[in-house]
Amino acid sequence: MGGDTIFALATARGKAGVAVLRLSGPDAAAMAEALCGPLPPPRRAGLRDLRHDGELIDRPLVLRFEAGASFTGEAVVELHLHGAPVIADRVMDLLEGQGARPAGPGEFTRRAFANGTLDLLEVEGLGDLLDAETEAQRRQAMRLAGGDAETVLSRWKDALTEALAWCEASLEFDDGDIPEDVRPKVREIVDPVLAELAVERRGIGAAERIRDGFTVALIGAPNVGKSTLINKIAGREIALVSPEAGTTRDRLEVPLDLRGLAVRLVDTAGIREADGVERLGIDRALEVATEADLRVYLGPPPPDAPEPRSGDILVAAKADLSTVPDGVSGLTGEGVDRLLDRIAGTLSRRAASSGTFARRRHADLLAAFSEAMASVIAALEADALEIAAEGLWSALHVLDRLLGRTDVEDVLDRLFASFCIGK
């Protein structure tokens, strides 16, 4: 991959102090040199005059990276231009005139993957990092992008490869150095992998919620104050407030950043006996309540509402009209900060159990890995070493799929389509 040279802005378009234009490919250095003259040594910045037909276009800061020592694994040059869009446009026209072409979405990162400077898990982490909006999302994305998942999988691969070697040696060789029964040795090797695997699989749900955001539903009877409360939290009127019961017909959401966690707070229709359009709104409210990660019940749970689950929050509503302690009022703001702290605390405890892996693809492949390892254990217990060896080969293949070394073209197409141009 990467027989041609590509270019793109690595910074956002628009007027700015600096616009970083990145080139990658076999002719990157030669093309930059045709515009800027001799380039600085690799990984050392140098100020250069960028000219065309003797005309001074700009004085950019130039950085050069040799093939094998760059993000993409190819020769890369970065031109740190002044940030007027007209300058970047002129330079890109000149590069295109030399035979370079504009990069597609995620093409720099795809070249990095193809050239082995990033594995698929690191690429996914980079995508999550670019999309991160909260501190928890940033930290989790960095675990993938920084290679934490690859470290875990490499440790598992080393263990399974050693276990496979014991199985194969027992099957192929009659050597006094090999125990007559290698099964205890194989179990000694793979049991720690199984223990780690169980922890990682349990942590995927919380990791997905950190990545995608937690959903918190406000549940209560009509006119209990849900819409007033969500308006107060949002700091603007997003829900119609009326003394007439049943005015909320559809879900209304407020995105929040609570202690670094992405949260969608959802206002739902008041739950009561009703028909017509209001009934449709109530059915949607019940659906949201069932699927939400956390429910906040304002006032006593209505008769038809789902039973509170462990961790759900029950709080007295309209604290401005009552003497109930620790209540909440969307009208005056009383207890709102306290309620948000309770929500954040509950979700933070759940987020603490997150694992290294955070995507549905990871969950599916870890499930397949678990199935392969279960077949290994069953074969060992049945003294069927050949079947155990086949199971270990299958498990190793699943780990390669996680790392993106096999069967990933469809995944790559979807993944890189979501990347910005220039990355």
Side-chain angles (χ1 to χ4, degrees):
M1 183 179 183
D4 52 359
T5 298
I6 58 174
F7 65 86
L9 283 172
T11 49
R13 288 197 64 86
K15 189 175 181 179
V18 175
V20 178
L21 183 60
R22 177 182 291 164
L23 298 86
S24 181
D27 298 323
M31 290 179 176
E33 197 164 75
L35 296 175
C36 301
L39 303 181
R43 294 179 177 271
R44 294 184 63 180
L47 196 64
R48 296 291 187 269
D49 287 350
L50 192 155
R51 297 178 179 274
H52 178 64
D53 290 341
E55 177 190 5
L56 181 64
I57 307 299
D58 194 23
R59 286 197 173 96
L61 194 68
V62 180
L63 278 167
R64 178 165 69 93
F65 302 88
E66 294 181 309
S70 71
F71 172 71
T72 62
E74 303 173 330
V76 169
V77 177
E78 290 185 357
L79 304 176
H80 294 231
L81 306 163
H82 287 92
V86 65
I87 298 175
D89 289 342
R90 178 71 185 280
V91 175
M92 288 190 286
D93 286 343
L94 294 174
L95 290 172
E96 200 161 2
Q98 293 188 54
R101 66 170 176 84
E107 191 167 0
F108 287 93
T109 306
R110 187 156 191 162
R111 291 190 176 199
F113 173 79
N115 292 321
T117 63
L118 293 177
D119 62 43
L120 182 56
L121 291 165
E122 291 170 326
V123 170
E124 289 172 323
L126 179 58
D128 289 347
L129 185 62
L130 294 173
D131 290 336
E133 296 180 344
T134 70
E135 181 62 16
Q137 289 173 333
R138 182 200 64 78
R139 286 197 301 267
Q140 181 167 276
M142 280 304 304
R143 294 174 69 181
L144 277 179
D148 285 12
E150 194 275 339
T151 298
V152 171
L153 297 185
S154 293
R155 184 165 61 246
W156 292 358
K157 288 194 70 174
D158 289 345
L160 266 58
T161 301
E162 182 183 359
L164 181 60
W166 279 100
C167 290
E168 298 285 7
S170 179
L171 291 167
E172 299 294 336
F173 304 104
D174 183 12
D175 192 321
D177 292 334
I178 300 173
E180 183 176 339
D181 185 0
V182 300
R183 290 180 298 165
K185 180 64 177 179
V186 173
R187 285 299 300 264
E188 178 186 328
I189 296 169
V190 302
D191 280 351
V193 174
L194 295 174
E196 284 191 58
L197 172 62
V199 172
E200 290 293 350
R201 291 190 69 189
R202 286 196 299 269
I204 285 180
E208 282 187 301
R209 295 275 64 76
I210 291 174
R211 178 176 178 268
D212 298 332
F214 291 91
T215 299
V216 178
L218 296 179
I219 307 298
N223 275 352
V224 77
K226 300 186 300 301
S227 296
T228 304
L229 177 60
I230 202 168
N231 286 344
K232 188 70 175 180
I233 292 172
R236 57 191 174 89
E237 186 172 323
I238 66 164
L240 178 64
V241 177
S242 169
E244 180 184 345
T247 52
T248 300
R249 302 292 176 85
D250 206 351
R251 57 186 290 169
L252 300 171
E253 297 187 3
V254 173
L256 301 173
D257 181 342
L258 290 182
R259 292 188 189 170
L261 295 174
V263 175
R264 292 187 301 274
L265 186 63
V266 184
D267 179 22
T268 62
I271 298 175
R272 66 171 181 172
E273 289 293 333
D275 53 20
V277 175
E278 185 182 351
R279 181 69 248 174
L280 294 176
I282 292 170
D283 289 342
R284 290 184 180 180
L286 294 173
E287 181 181 344
V288 171
T290 300
E291 297 175 353
D293 300 298
L294 176 67
R295 283 88 68 90
V296 176
Y297 290 83
L298 293 186
D304 293 336
E307 286 293 321
R309 296 183 297 227
S310 175
D312 284 346
I313 296 173
L314 282 71
V315 61
K318 298 185 177 181
D320 54 300
L321 301 178
S322 70
T323 59
V324 178
D326 298 329
V328 64
S329 169
L331 187 62
T332 66
E334 180 181 346
V336 170
D337 288 342
R338 183 169 57 242
L339 175 61
L340 293 177
D341 284 342
R342 289 182 65 185
I343 294 172
T346 299
L347 297 180
S348 294
R349 288 188 291 274
R350 297 182 186 179
S353 65
S354 65
T356 309
F357 303 91
R359 289 178 173 242
R360 179 48 44 190
R361 184 185 79 88
H362 307 162
D364 292 343
L365 287 175
L366 287 183
F369 180 69
S370 181
E371 289 179 9
M373 291 305 298
S375 72
V376 171
I377 300 303
L380 291 174
E381 291 176 350
D383 196 15
L385 278 186
E386 288 188 8
I387 297 176
E390 290 176 5
L392 287 168
W393 277 115
S394 297
L396 285 166
H397 178 69
V398 174
L399 295 185
D400 279 339
R401 291 174 64 193
L402 267 166
L403 288 165
R405 293 173 183 165
T406 59
D407 304 334
V408 295
E409 282 306 311
D410 288 344
V411 174
L412 291 175
D413 289 341
R414 291 194 302 270
L415 179 62
F416 291 119
S418 69
F419 272 56
C420 58
I421 293 173
K423 196 64 176 178

